[in-house]
Amino acid sequence: MSIVVDRCDLCGGELRSGTTILQFWRGGELIVIRDIEADVCQQCGEAYISAEVSEHLDHFLMEHHRHQPERYFAVPQYSAAQAMSA
Ligand SMILES: [Zn+2]
């Protein structure tokens, strides 16, 4: 998560209004929030969210368990041992 800048911090590419999907680990649970307003780098795809959006997300993450998720989906997990032996 980064704050808004004029150009991409990573590659200097142009930022345009768009949306992004973010993942957060909370208490051993992976939480995904889609369609978050963001300035997205047209070159590398890095997304920058505003301080205001970031504050909303922080607040939501503290009380997310009070909301019914729109859906659940399975996520594959591998061990480092598997990855290193491939
Ligand atoms: Zn970039």
Side-chain angles (χ1 to χ4, degrees):
M1 236 187 310
S2 316
I3 53 159
V4 172
V5 292
D6 291 336
R7 314 256 342 158
C8 179
D9 271 347
L10 300 181
C11 73
E14 185 194 344
L15 301 180
R16 284 199 201 146
S17 304
T19 61
T20 189
I21 185 165
L22 292 176
Q23 306 92 43
F24 305 91
W25 282 98
R26 283 296 180 282
E29 239 185 340
L30 177 63
I31 295 151
V32 178
I33 307 176
R34 69 172 175 86
D35 294 343
I36 299 166
E37 265 182 50
D39 288 333
V40 181
C41 176
Q42 300 303 294
Q43 207 158 270
C44 76
E46 180 73 2
Y48 297 84
I49 62 172
S50 68
E52 192 189 348
V53 169
S54 178
E55 268 176 40
H56 269 99
L57 291 175
D58 285 345
H59 178 75
F60 178 74
L61 288 168
M62 282 190 284
E63 55 135 67
H64 72 89
H65 51 272
R66 290 191 217 149
H67 302 263
Q68 176 69 27
E70 65 176 10
R71 70 165 178 143
Y72 285 91
F73 57 94
V75 178
Q77 172 179 298
Y78 302 94
S79 69
Q82 283 176 293
M84 295 308 140
S85 63

